[in-house]
PDB file of all heavy atoms in Angstrom:
ATOM      1  N   HIS A 274      -0.074  13.163   6.268  1.00 94.00           N
ATOM      2  CA  HIS A 274       1.157  12.418   6.526  1.00 94.00           C
ATOM      3  C   HIS A 274       2.315  12.926   5.684  1.00 94.00           C
ATOM      4  O   HIS A 274       3.351  13.321   6.202  1.00 94.00           O
ATOM      5  CB  HIS A 274       0.913  10.925   6.276  1.00 94.00           C
ATOM      6  CG  HIS A 274       2.134  10.093   6.403  1.00 94.00           C
ATOM      7  ND1 HIS A 274       2.454   9.136   5.488  1.00 94.00           N
ATOM      8  CD2 HIS A 274       3.139  10.084   7.312  1.00 94.00           C
ATOM      9  CE1 HIS A 274       3.602   8.558   5.840  1.00 94.00           C
ATOM     10  NE2 HIS A 274       4.039   9.113   6.928  1.00 94.00           N
ATOM     11  N   HIS A 275       2.153  12.912   4.377  1.00 90.00           N
ATOM     12  CA  HIS A 275       3.272  13.194   3.478  1.00 90.00           C
ATOM     13  C   HIS A 275       3.596  14.676   3.332  1.00 90.00           C
ATOM     14  O   HIS A 275       4.763  15.036   3.208  1.00 90.00           O
ATOM     15  CB  HIS A 275       3.027  12.575   2.101  1.00 90.00           C
ATOM     16  CG  HIS A 275       3.095  11.083   2.111  1.00 90.00           C
ATOM     17  ND1 HIS A 275       4.264  10.395   2.299  1.00 90.00           N
ATOM     18  CD2 HIS A 275       2.124  10.148   1.971  1.00 90.00           C
ATOM     19  CE1 HIS A 275       4.016   9.096   2.276  1.00 90.00           C
ATOM     20  NE2 HIS A 275       2.731   8.918   2.080  1.00 90.00           N
ATOM     21  N   GLN A 276       2.588  15.521   3.313  1.00 91.00           N
ATOM     22  CA  GLN A 276       2.838  16.947   3.097  1.00 91.00           C
ATOM     23  C   GLN A 276       3.043  17.715   4.398  1.00 91.00           C
ATOM     24  O   GLN A 276       3.819  18.663   4.440  1.00 91.00           O
ATOM     25  CB  GLN A 276       1.673  17.582   2.325  1.00 91.00           C
ATOM     26  CG  GLN A 276       1.391  16.939   0.992  1.00 91.00           C
ATOM     27  CD  GLN A 276       2.564  17.012   0.032  1.00 91.00           C
ATOM     28  OE1 GLN A 276       3.255  18.003  -0.022  1.00 91.00           O
ATOM     29  NE2 GLN A 276       2.785  15.941  -0.717  1.00 91.00           N
ATOM     30  N   GLN A 277       2.328  17.303   5.452  1.00 92.00           N
ATOM     31  CA  GLN A 277       2.369  18.055   6.703  1.00 92.00           C
ATOM     32  C   GLN A 277       3.139  17.351   7.809  1.00 92.00           C
ATOM     33  O   GLN A 277       3.331  17.924   8.880  1.00 92.00           O
ATOM     34  CB  GLN A 277       0.945  18.362   7.175  1.00 92.00           C
ATOM     35  CG  GLN A 277       0.147  19.183   6.183  1.00 92.00           C
ATOM     36  CD  GLN A 277      -1.283  19.400   6.638  1.00 92.00           C
ATOM     37  OE1 GLN A 277      -1.584  19.409   7.827  1.00 92.00           O
ATOM     38  NE2 GLN A 277      -2.182  19.559   5.678  1.00 92.00           N
ATOM     39  N   GLY A 278       3.526  16.095   7.586  1.00 92.00           N
ATOM     40  CA  GLY A 278       4.270  15.364   8.603  1.00 92.00           C
ATOM     41  C   GLY A 278       3.455  15.045   9.841  1.00 92.00           C
ATOM     42  O   GLY A 278       4.013  14.808  10.916  1.00 92.00           O
ATOM     43  N   ARG A 279       2.152  15.010   9.706  1.00 94.00           N
ATOM     44  CA  ARG A 279       1.260  14.763  10.844  1.00 94.00           C
ATOM     45  C   ARG A 279       0.783  13.313  10.815  1.00 94.00           C
ATOM     46  O   ARG A 279      -0.375  13.016  10.552  1.00 94.00           O
ATOM     47  CB  ARG A 279       0.108  15.750  10.815  1.00 94.00           C
ATOM     48  CG  ARG A 279       0.589  17.205  10.930  1.00 94.00           C
ATOM     49  CD  ARG A 279      -0.537  18.202  10.871  1.00 94.00           C
ATOM     50  NE  ARG A 279      -1.550  17.905  11.875  1.00 94.00           N
ATOM     51  CZ  ARG A 279      -2.819  18.294  11.765  1.00 94.00           C
ATOM     52  NH1 ARG A 279      -3.218  18.988  10.710  1.00 94.00           N
ATOM     53  NH2 ARG A 279      -3.693  17.997  12.705  1.00 94.00           N
ATOM     54  N   ARG A 280       1.703  12.438  11.107  1.00 93.00           N
ATOM     55  CA  ARG A 280       1.490  10.993  11.040  1.00 93.00           C
ATOM     56  C   ARG A 280       0.346  10.530  11.946  1.00 93.00           C
ATOM     57  O   ARG A 280      -0.508   9.747  11.536  1.00 93.00           O
ATOM     58  CB  ARG A 280       2.816  10.327  11.425  1.00 93.00           C
ATOM     59  CG  ARG A 280       2.907   8.870  11.269  1.00 93.00           C
ATOM     60  CD  ARG A 280       4.338   8.466  11.704  1.00 93.00           C
ATOM     61  NE  ARG A 280       4.478   7.047  11.742  1.00 93.00           N
ATOM     62  CZ  ARG A 280       5.057   6.332  10.801  1.00 93.00           C
ATOM     63  NH1 ARG A 280       5.544   6.919   9.728  1.00 93.00           N
ATOM     64  NH2 ARG A 280       5.144   5.035  10.915  1.00 93.00           N
ATOM     65  N   GLU A 281       0.327  10.990  13.187  1.00 95.00           N
ATOM     66  CA  GLU A 281      -0.713  10.561  14.123  1.00 95.00           C
ATOM     67  C   GLU A 281      -2.092  11.070  13.696  1.00 95.00           C
ATOM     68  O   GLU A 281      -3.081  10.339  13.770  1.00 95.00           O
ATOM     69  CB  GLU A 281      -0.392  11.044  15.533  1.00 95.00           C
ATOM     70  CG  GLU A 281      -1.312  10.443  16.576  1.00 95.00           C
ATOM     71  CD  GLU A 281      -0.861  10.769  17.988  1.00 95.00           C
ATOM     72  OE1 GLU A 281       0.361  10.770  18.256  1.00 95.00           O
ATOM     73  OE2 GLU A 281      -1.753  11.019  18.822  1.00 95.00           O
ATOM     74  N   ALA A 282      -2.157  12.301  13.208  1.00 96.00           N
ATOM     75  CA  ALA A 282      -3.431  12.840  12.725  1.00 96.00           C
ATOM     76  C   ALA A 282      -3.924  12.039  11.515  1.00 96.00           C
ATOM     77  O   ALA A 282      -5.123  11.761  11.390  1.00 96.00           O
ATOM     78  CB  ALA A 282      -3.276  14.317  12.363  1.00 96.00           C
ATOM     79  N   ALA A 283      -3.005  11.663  10.642  1.00 96.00           N
ATOM     80  CA  ALA A 283      -3.372  10.841   9.489  1.00 96.00           C
ATOM     81  C   ALA A 283      -3.897   9.483   9.956  1.00 96.00           C
ATOM     82  O   ALA A 283      -4.923   9.008   9.464  1.00 96.00           O
ATOM     83  CB  ALA A 283      -2.170  10.658   8.570  1.00 96.00           C
ATOM     84  N   ARG A 284      -3.203   8.885  10.915  1.00 96.00           N
ATOM     85  CA  ARG A 284      -3.638   7.582  11.435  1.00 96.00           C
ATOM     86  C   ARG A 284      -5.033   7.681  12.043  1.00 96.00           C
ATOM     87  O   ARG A 284      -5.876   6.813  11.840  1.00 96.00           O
ATOM     88  CB  ARG A 284      -2.615   7.070  12.454  1.00 96.00           C
ATOM     89  CG  ARG A 284      -2.853   5.652  12.887  1.00 96.00           C
ATOM     90  CD  ARG A 284      -1.720   5.059  13.708  1.00 96.00           C
ATOM     91  NE  ARG A 284      -1.146   5.962  14.669  1.00 96.00           N
ATOM     92  CZ  ARG A 284       0.156   6.282  14.724  1.00 96.00           C
ATOM     93  NH1 ARG A 284       1.003   5.765  13.852  1.00 96.00           N
ATOM     94  NH2 ARG A 284       0.608   7.100  15.645  1.00 96.00           N
ATOM     95  N   ASP A 285      -5.301   8.763  12.780  1.00 96.00           N
ATOM     96  CA  ASP A 285      -6.629   8.956  13.378  1.00 96.00           C
ATOM     97  C   ASP A 285      -7.708   9.101  12.311  1.00 96.00           C
ATOM     98  O   ASP A 285      -8.784   8.519  12.422  1.00 96.00           O
ATOM     99  CB  ASP A 285      -6.630  10.186  14.294  1.00 96.00           C
ATOM    100  CG  ASP A 285      -5.808   9.993  15.555  1.00 96.00           C
ATOM    101  OD1 ASP A 285      -5.463   8.832  15.888  1.00 96.00           O
ATOM    102  OD2 ASP A 285      -5.494  11.012  16.208  1.00 96.00           O
ATOM    103  N   LEU A 286      -7.414   9.893  11.274  1.00 97.00           N
ATOM    104  CA  LEU A 286      -8.378  10.062  10.184  1.00 97.00           C
ATOM    105  C   LEU A 286      -8.614   8.734   9.474  1.00 97.00           C
ATOM    106  O   LEU A 286      -9.761   8.353   9.199  1.00 97.00           O
ATOM    107  CB  LEU A 286      -7.901  11.118   9.187  1.00 97.00           C
ATOM    108  CG  LEU A 286      -8.795  11.327   7.960  1.00 97.00           C
ATOM    109  CD1 LEU A 286     -10.215  11.713   8.353  1.00 97.00           C
ATOM    110  CD2 LEU A 286      -8.190  12.379   7.040  1.00 97.00           C
ATOM    111  N   PHE A 287      -7.546   7.997   9.208  1.00 97.00           N
ATOM    112  CA  PHE A 287      -7.693   6.695   8.544  1.00 97.00           C
ATOM    113  C   PHE A 287      -8.530   5.737   9.389  1.00 97.00           C
ATOM    114  O   PHE A 287      -9.361   4.998   8.853  1.00 97.00           O
ATOM    115  CB  PHE A 287      -6.329   6.079   8.252  1.00 97.00           C
ATOM    116  CG  PHE A 287      -5.522   6.785   7.199  1.00 97.00           C
ATOM    117  CD1 PHE A 287      -4.133   6.765   7.261  1.00 97.00           C
ATOM    118  CD2 PHE A 287      -6.113   7.452   6.144  1.00 97.00           C
ATOM    119  CE1 PHE A 287      -3.364   7.395   6.299  1.00 97.00           C
ATOM    120  CE2 PHE A 287      -5.356   8.092   5.164  1.00 97.00           C
ATOM    121  CZ  PHE A 287      -3.978   8.068   5.245  1.00 97.00           C
ATOM    122  N   ALA A 288      -8.337   5.745  10.700  1.00 97.00           N
ATOM    123  CA  ALA A 288      -9.108   4.861  11.584  1.00 97.00           C
ATOM    124  C   ALA A 288     -10.595   5.222  11.525  1.00 97.00           C
ATOM    125  O   ALA A 288     -11.456   4.326  11.501  1.00 97.00           O
ATOM    126  CB  ALA A 288      -8.587   4.952  13.015  1.00 97.00           C
ATOM    127  N   GLN A 289     -10.891   6.507  11.480  1.00 97.00           N
ATOM    128  CA  GLN A 289     -12.279   6.947  11.382  1.00 97.00           C
ATOM    129  C   GLN A 289     -12.891   6.505  10.052  1.00 97.00           C
ATOM    130  O   GLN A 289     -14.002   5.965  10.020  1.00 97.00           O
ATOM    131  CB  GLN A 289     -12.335   8.470  11.519  1.00 97.00           C
ATOM    132  CG  GLN A 289     -13.726   9.037  11.404  1.00 97.00           C
ATOM    133  CD  GLN A 289     -13.729  10.561  11.447  1.00 97.00           C
ATOM    134  OE1 GLN A 289     -12.695  11.208  11.576  1.00 97.00           O
ATOM    135  NE2 GLN A 289     -14.901  11.142  11.327  1.00 97.00           N
ATOM    136  N   VAL A 290     -12.168   6.698   8.979  1.00 97.00           N
ATOM    137  CA  VAL A 290     -12.667   6.307   7.654  1.00 97.00           C
ATOM    138  C   VAL A 290     -12.825   4.787   7.582  1.00 97.00           C
ATOM    139  O   VAL A 290     -13.789   4.283   7.005  1.00 97.00           O
ATOM    140  CB  VAL A 290     -11.746   6.839   6.536  1.00 97.00           C
ATOM    141  CG1 VAL A 290     -12.160   6.294   5.172  1.00 97.00           C
ATOM    142  CG2 VAL A 290     -11.749   8.360   6.522  1.00 97.00           C
ATOM    143  N   TRP A 291     -11.905   4.052   8.201  1.00 97.00           N
ATOM    144  CA  TRP A 291     -11.971   2.590   8.219  1.00 97.00           C
ATOM    145  C   TRP A 291     -13.302   2.134   8.822  1.00 97.00           C
ATOM    146  O   TRP A 291     -13.964   1.237   8.285  1.00 97.00           O
ATOM    147  CB  TRP A 291     -10.786   2.029   9.000  1.00 97.00           C
ATOM    148  CG  TRP A 291     -10.713   0.539   9.010  1.00 97.00           C
ATOM    149  CD1 TRP A 291     -10.991  -0.293  10.068  1.00 97.00           C
ATOM    150  CD2 TRP A 291     -10.336  -0.319   7.934  1.00 97.00           C
ATOM    151  NE1 TRP A 291     -10.816  -1.599   9.700  1.00 97.00           N
ATOM    152  CE2 TRP A 291     -10.411  -1.646   8.395  1.00 97.00           C
ATOM    153  CE3 TRP A 291      -9.952  -0.081   6.616  1.00 97.00           C
ATOM    154  CZ2 TRP A 291     -10.098  -2.737   7.594  1.00 97.00           C
ATOM    155  CZ3 TRP A 291      -9.648  -1.170   5.812  1.00 97.00           C
ATOM    156  CH2 TRP A 291      -9.723  -2.483   6.303  1.00 97.00           C
ATOM    157  N   GLU A 292     -13.700   2.754   9.916  1.00 97.00           N
ATOM    158  CA  GLU A 292     -14.986   2.422  10.543  1.00 97.00           C
ATOM    159  C   GLU A 292     -16.148   2.770   9.616  1.00 97.00           C
ATOM    160  O   GLU A 292     -17.094   2.003   9.481  1.00 97.00           O
ATOM    161  CB  GLU A 292     -15.128   3.154  11.880  1.00 97.00           C
ATOM    162  CG  GLU A 292     -14.194   2.652  12.957  1.00 97.00           C
ATOM    163  CD  GLU A 292     -14.384   1.181  13.286  1.00 97.00           C
ATOM    164  OE1 GLU A 292     -15.553   0.730  13.390  1.00 97.00           O
ATOM    165  OE2 GLU A 292     -13.366   0.476  13.422  1.00 97.00           O
ATOM    166  N   GLU A 293     -16.053   3.914   8.972  1.00 96.00           N
ATOM    167  CA  GLU A 293     -17.133   4.366   8.091  1.00 96.00           C
ATOM    168  C   GLU A 293     -17.330   3.457   6.888  1.00 96.00           C
ATOM    169  O   GLU A 293     -18.464   3.278   6.427  1.00 96.00           O
ATOM    170  CB  GLU A 293     -16.862   5.798   7.619  1.00 96.00           C
ATOM    171  CG  GLU A 293     -16.980   6.829   8.717  1.00 96.00           C
ATOM    172  CD  GLU A 293     -16.545   8.208   8.270  1.00 96.00           C
ATOM    173  OE1 GLU A 293     -16.448   8.459   7.046  1.00 96.00           O
ATOM    174  OE2 GLU A 293     -16.289   9.051   9.153  1.00 96.00           O
TER     175      GLU A 293
END
Side-chain angles (χ1 to χ4, degrees):
H274 175 226
H275 290 290
Q276 303 299 321
Q277 300 177 28
R279 299 179 55 204
R280 188 179 173 101
E281 189 172 321
R284 189 170 41 236
D285 291 345
L286 177 58
F287 291 150
Q289 179 184 359
V290 173
W291 183 253
E292 291 300 317
E293 291 173 17

